[in-house]
Amino acid sequence: MARLSRDDDPEPSDRFPAGPLYVPVQPGPSGCAARLFRTPLGDRTAVGFTSERRLTATLGPGQAWIRLAGPALRALAAPLGVTTVTVDPLFTAPPATPLPAPVPVPALRAA
């Protein structure tokens, strides 16, 4: 079977949605950096959302974001060894919170 050209293919080979994605970022010393996440199996993944509403519903209203095309997000993550891009994840685990400092238990006195 001959491979169709992109113009003839009703379902292009690219698995990315058309148009730029909303990519969560975090501030850093040199500007913003794309946030990387982990899949349920523990692999690192870049994440993009197809709408600001989906990003806000998943990560909250305070999450900063930028617009990037899918291939640009993949190219940005590739030098970090991240080969997976997840689009519109349904849920995320809450960020890890540091445990409170342990409270020392008073030493038991010998009676």
Side-chain angles (χ1 to χ4, degrees), residues 31-70:
C32 289
R35 284 184 62 188
L36 297 178
F37 294 81
R38 295 222 177 248
T39 66
L41 297 176
D43 298 325
R44 293 189 327 165
T45 183
V47 171
F49 293 87
T50 55
S51 71
E52 184 179 358
R53 181 184 56 76
R54 289 182 183 217
L55 181 140
T56 302
T58 304
L59 299 175
Q63 176 61 57
W65 53 267
I66 60 171
R67 298 286 307 261
L68 284 177

Side-chain angles (χ1 to χ4, degrees), residues 4-98:
L4 299 173
S5 73
R6 286 184 146 263
D7 296 335
D8 298 335
D9 191 356
E11 295 183 31
S13 300
D14 262 349
R15 294 178 296 184
F16 289 104
L21 296 171
Y22 294 81
V23 177
V25 296
Q26 59 190 12
S30 300
C32 289
R35 284 184 62 188
L36 297 178
F37 294 81
R38 295 222 177 248
T39 66
L41 297 176
D43 298 325
R44 293 189 327 165
T45 183
V47 171
F49 293 87
T50 55
S51 71
E52 184 179 358
R53 181 184 56 76
R54 289 182 183 217
L55 181 140
T56 302
T58 304
L59 299 175
Q63 176 61 57
W65 53 267
I66 60 171
R67 298 286 307 261
L68 284 177
L73 177 57
R74 184 178 297 281
L76 184 69
L80 302 171
V82 177
T83 58
T84 305
V85 174
T86 304
V87 177
D88 288 337
L90 298 178
F91 63 91
T92 60
T97 56

